Amino acid sequence: MRAAARAGWVAGAAMLACLTVQLATPMAAQAQPAAHSVGPVTAPAYDHDAPDPDVVRANGVYFAYTTNSHLENVPVLSSPDLQSWTAMGDALPRLPSWAAQGFSHSWSPGVAQFGATWVMYYTAQVARTGTLCLSVATAPVAAGPFTDNSSGPLACQTNLGGSIDPQPFFDRDGTPYLYWKSNSGASTMPASIWAARLAPDGLSMASSPQEVMTQDQGWEATVESPFMVAVPAGYVLFYSGGLWNSAGYGVGYAVCQSVFGPCVKPLGAPVLHSDQYRLGPGGESLVNDGSGDWFMAYHAWDGPTSRYSYDQHEFRSLWIAPVSFSGTTPVIGAGEAPEGYRMVAADGGVFSFGSASFAGSMGGRPLAAPVVASATDAGTGGYWEVGADGGVFSFGAPFFGSMGGTPLARPVVGMAATPDGGGYWEVASDGGVFAFGDARFFGSMGGTPLARPVVGMAATPDGGGYWLVASDGGLFAFGDARFLGSMGGTPLNAPVVAMASMPQGGGYWLVASDGGVFSFGNAQFFGSMGSVRLNRPVVAMAAGPGSGGYWMVASDGGVFSFGDSAFAGSLGAVPLDAPVVGASAT
């Protein structure tokens, strides 16, 4: 069954791994509901440190309250239009006597108006025990300053590892509730989102806490920063998941039957994830502009590494994106790169999923040698296939030449494209490299004795270098590609079959045929199939657009997704004329 004949759907979905399958049409196929961009947002609205922003609107002015920064407990910003922001100082100059003192001991504010009083909920640390708990402060105006004269925490689930990230919510009838996260991160127990009804003045709980949602998806690592929204079709609970200082951090959502749940997560991945513009988006809040339009405020950083570090002079800036709802599905104008991937089979058949388009294939045509790999043209969205004889076939992408018809010392086993789509490299099993178009030759292992054959390659983000990987996990770097480690000389359970590099640079992953993953440099480990019995061996992998995850593909077309890389379908239960041999991401 070739790509040209693909039609229909085979139901199925996967959380971390594709254990059930969706069949793709030749055009892009989407396995599950997802947010779609309604307008590109490619730069922060406030390019300074502003983590965990909570934005409210008061008398036509927007106020953003953030986690401690700039030697302030709760910095507050103001804006007339959500785009031009001015720092206004500390909204909470003094912490209560029971709390640990110092600007680094207050987090994640959530603010709402109760009558003539503005109420701020925030996370504080108990000085005596170090436990993170919820507290509450009040002010007569939205800008503050807020005052907290409490004698103890508002809520503190010490048996669950603490309570953090409070966020108020008013139901359609005006009843106030408070949402927050249990497990401060100091405990090994799973994190959960809780809710309780508030007293009319918002200063105390009017009901016992109820668990609304818990951490249960592989990408999450935790669930935090809850924000509930009531839409005509129901309740949508946004939350952040993943490691807060990781490119795998992102914003997820759940659809809830009531303010207390139960809640169902339609996606197996974040709805807002890292991409070429931003890393680690999270700490979200939503604000309505008064005319019915919603906007999401969140923080993110822009590198240079996939792990956030304030010590490296990085900061989590304030981003604003328009949000609308199709029923209970959020439509976020985030400007993020759409996710998708393609598989190529040995007979040249191409299978596209998610945002990856289908532009043709060699499936069903006579080939001088089997296809061994493919690469995506970032310039056109098209792609190339390469055969073992070095022949290149282009679809929706320019043809720059090939080794087809030229005698080779060893067969070609892989290829990589330049970032601008203006060229590509081929690599042979002896490490020989062949450059075409604007792809420059930086060296090779051709003519050098190797312990094991080369099986794949990856290019650096600027196209100024590339890595080659051998089946024993040995790694060879050329041009501006830095050697960051390898598995060469280390006993492996199964041979390495492919590699992928971070879109931002600074790291790479190797994958073995048993699905084991090895990460180097800034590339984070998000999981593997190394301990899972597979129907067929893994043959390829591809990195997600924001370095926060990756996919691996088996020879039967099974897809396994990790981190924030969303599962968009697979061929795992579909009869194939030839095995899958390669994969590339959009």
Side-chain angles (χ1 to χ4, degrees):
M1 191 175 187
R2 306 197 193 284
R6 305 287 177 198
W9 293 101
V10 177
M15 182 172 66
L16 271 183
C18 165
L19 301 180
T20 54
V21 180
Q22 270 195 310
L23 173 60
T25 67
M27 299 303 292
Q30 184 63 51
Q32 49 202 348
H36 303 284
S37 175
V38 297
V41 178
T42 60
Y46 182 71
D47 200 13
H48 302 280
D49 202 38
D52 305 314
D54 180 56
V55 177
V56 301
R57 181 174 176 270
N59 300 320
V61 178
Y62 298 95
F63 296 91
Y65 313 86
T66 76
T67 283
N68 65 81
S69 184
H70 310 296
L71 302 180
E72 296 169 342
N73 293 317
V74 179
V76 60
L77 314 171
S78 67
S79 172
D81 57 6
L82 290 174
Q83 294 303 314
S84 301
W85 292 90
T86 301
M88 298 184 65
D90 197 341
L92 185 65
R94 290 185 294 110
L95 299 176
S97 58
W98 56 267
Q101 302 299 303
F103 82 95
S104 62
H105 292 92
S106 54
W107 301 270
S108 305
V111 176
Q113 186 176 18
F114 289 76
T117 302
W118 287 87
V119 179
M120 173 188 290
Y121 307 90
Y122 67 100
T123 306
Q125 188 173 31
V126 179
R128 184 174 57 85
T129 64
T131 306
L132 298 182
C133 304
L134 309 184
S135 194
V136 59
T138 60
V141 293
F146 287 77
T147 302
D148 185 349
N149 295 319
S150 62
S151 58
L154 172 67
C156 195
Q157 296 162 299
T158 55
N159 62 321
L160 297 178
S163 304
I164 66 172
D165 296 353
Q167 187 61 239
F169 164 72
F170 288 91
D171 201 359
R172 297 182 183 90
D173 62 2
T175 302
Y177 296 86
L178 188 68
Y179 289 79
W180 69 91
K181 167 201 175 181
S182 68
N183 183 347
S184 65
S187 171
T188 57
M189 65 185 66
S192 293
I193 302 300
W194 297 75
R197 183 165 54 86
L198 289 168
D201 62 2
L203 301 181
S204 61
M205 304 285 192
S207 72
S208 299
Q210 295 187 40
E211 186 179 54
V212 177
M213 187 187 75
T214 191
Q215 164 193 342
D216 60 8
Q217 293 191 346
W219 73 270
E220 292 171 340
T222 189
V223 290
E224 56 193 18
S225 299
F227 197 99
M228 178 66 90
V229 178
V231 296
Y235 296 92
V236 180
L237 178 58
F238 291 92
Y239 65 94
S240 296
L243 300 176
W244 69 272
N245 60 350
S246 155
Y249 199 61
V251 177
Y253 79 96
V255 178
C256 304
Q257 292 185 15
S258 74
V259 293
F260 292 118
C263 301
V264 175
K265 303 170 186 175
L267 301 179
V271 69
L272 178 62
H273 56 74
S274 296
D275 64 15
Q276 71 266 43
Y277 302 115
R278 63 187 71 74
L279 298 175
E284 77 295 334
S285 67
L286 274 74
V287 62
N288 197 289
D289 67 357
S291 64
D293 292 330
W294 288 97
F295 293 85
M296 177 182 287
Y298 61 94
H299 69 238
W301 76 94
D302 58 2
T305 68
S306 68
R307 186 173 290 277
Y308 169 79
S309 173
Y310 191 80
D311 293 337
Q312 296 183 22
H313 305 291
E314 297 172 342
F315 51 82
R316 292 173 289 172
S317 50
L318 171 63
W319 293 69
I320 303 291
V323 179
S324 61
F325 294 88
S326 177
T328 55
T329 300
V331 182
I332 303 176
E336 66 179 23
E339 289 190 297
Y341 44 82
R342 294 185 192 88
M343 306 176 215
V344 61
D347 65 351
V350 170
F351 314 95
S352 298
F353 298 86
S355 64
S357 61
F358 177 79
S361 79
M362 295 303 294
R365 304 183 192 183
L367 297 175
V371 167
V372 294
S374 67
T376 296
D377 176 3
T380 66
Y383 47 89
W384 300 277
E385 304 178 27
V386 64
D389 62 349
V392 171
F393 311 99
S394 59
F395 299 92
F399 176 77
F400 297 109
S402 79
M403 296 303 294
T406 302
L408 300 176
R410 292 290 186 273
V412 167
V413 293
M415 77 180 306
T418 58
D420 63 359
Y424 43 75
W425 298 272
E426 302 177 14
V427 63
S429 64
D430 63 352
V433 172
F434 312 99
F436 300 91
D438 67 3
R440 294 173 54 198
F441 177 78
F442 297 105
S444 78
M445 297 303 294
T448 303
L450 300 176
R452 292 291 186 273
V454 167
V455 293
M457 73 182 306
T460 58
D462 63 359
Y466 42 76
W467 297 274
L468 312 181
V469 64
S471 63
D472 63 351
L475 203 288
F476 312 99
F478 298 90
D480 65 4
R482 293 173 54 206
F483 176 80
L484 301 169
S486 78
M487 296 304 294
T490 304
L492 301 175
N493 293 328
V496 167
V497 293
M499 73 175 298
S501 60
M502 291 172 53
Q504 283 83 17
Y508 45 78
W509 298 274
L510 313 181
V511 65
S513 63
D514 64 351
V517 172
F518 312 99
S519 57
F520 298 92
N522 288 324
Q524 295 174 240
F525 177 77
F526 295 107
S528 78
M529 297 302 292
S531 60
V532 179
R533 187 169 178 265
L534 302 176
N535 292 328
R536 292 291 186 274
V538 167
V539 293
M541 77 179 308
S547 304
Y550 42 77
W551 299 277
M552 60 179 77
V553 177
S555 64
D556 63 353
V559 174
F560 312 99
S561 58
F562 298 89
D564 68 3
S565 294
F567 172 75
S570 83
L571 296 165
V574 178
L576 300 175
D577 290 341
V580 169
V581 293
S584 60
T586 55

